[in-house]
Short mmCIF file of all heavy atoms in Angstrom, two decimals:
data_model
loop_
_atom_site.label_atom_id
_atom_site.label_comp_id
_atom_site.label_asym_id
_atom_site.label_seq_id
_atom_site.Cartn_x
_atom_site.Cartn_y
_atom_site.Cartn_z
N MET A 107 -4.58 -57.27 -42.10
CA MET A 107 -5.49 -56.17 -42.40
C MET A 107 -6.65 -56.64 -43.27
O MET A 107 -7.78 -56.23 -43.07
CB MET A 107 -4.69 -55.07 -43.09
CG MET A 107 -5.50 -53.85 -43.39
SD MET A 107 -6.04 -53.06 -41.87
CE MET A 107 -6.67 -51.56 -42.47
N ARG A 108 -6.36 -57.49 -44.25
CA ARG A 108 -7.42 -58.02 -45.12
C ARG A 108 -8.46 -58.78 -44.33
O ARG A 108 -9.66 -58.65 -44.58
CB ARG A 108 -6.81 -58.96 -46.17
CG ARG A 108 -6.60 -58.36 -47.47
CD ARG A 108 -6.15 -59.45 -48.41
NE ARG A 108 -6.22 -58.95 -49.74
CZ ARG A 108 -5.66 -59.49 -50.77
NH1 ARG A 108 -4.96 -60.60 -50.60
NH2 ARG A 108 -5.78 -58.97 -51.95
N LYS A 109 -8.00 -59.63 -43.40
CA LYS A 109 -8.92 -60.42 -42.60
C LYS A 109 -9.81 -59.52 -41.76
O LYS A 109 -11.01 -59.76 -41.62
CB LYS A 109 -8.16 -61.40 -41.69
CG LYS A 109 -7.54 -62.55 -42.44
CD LYS A 109 -6.84 -63.48 -41.48
CE LYS A 109 -6.17 -64.60 -42.25
NZ LYS A 109 -5.46 -65.52 -41.37
N PHE A 110 -9.22 -58.46 -41.20
CA PHE A 110 -10.01 -57.52 -40.40
C PHE A 110 -11.06 -56.83 -41.26
O PHE A 110 -12.22 -56.73 -40.87
CB PHE A 110 -9.09 -56.48 -39.75
CG PHE A 110 -9.87 -55.41 -39.03
CD1 PHE A 110 -10.45 -55.68 -37.80
CD2 PHE A 110 -10.04 -54.16 -39.60
CE1 PHE A 110 -11.19 -54.71 -37.15
CE2 PHE A 110 -10.78 -53.19 -38.95
CZ PHE A 110 -11.35 -53.46 -37.72
N LEU A 111 -10.67 -56.39 -42.44
CA LEU A 111 -11.60 -55.71 -43.35
C LEU A 111 -12.73 -56.65 -43.76
O LEU A 111 -13.90 -56.27 -43.75
CB LEU A 111 -10.85 -55.19 -44.58
CG LEU A 111 -11.64 -54.35 -45.56
CD1 LEU A 111 -12.21 -53.13 -44.85
CD2 LEU A 111 -10.78 -53.92 -46.73
N PHE A 112 -12.38 -57.90 -44.11
CA PHE A 112 -13.39 -58.88 -44.48
C PHE A 112 -14.35 -59.14 -43.32
O PHE A 112 -15.56 -59.20 -43.50
CB PHE A 112 -12.71 -60.19 -44.92
CG PHE A 112 -13.69 -61.26 -45.28
CD1 PHE A 112 -14.39 -61.20 -46.48
CD2 PHE A 112 -13.93 -62.33 -44.43
CE1 PHE A 112 -15.32 -62.18 -46.82
CE2 PHE A 112 -14.85 -63.31 -44.76
CZ PHE A 112 -15.54 -63.24 -45.96
N ALA A 113 -13.80 -59.27 -42.10
CA ALA A 113 -14.64 -59.52 -40.91
C ALA A 113 -15.56 -58.33 -40.65
O ALA A 113 -16.74 -58.50 -40.32
CB ALA A 113 -13.76 -59.80 -39.70
#
Side-chain angles (χ1 to χ4, degrees):
M107 183 65 170
R108 261 186 167 164
K109 288 181 182 179
F110 174 76
L111 186 58
F112 178 74

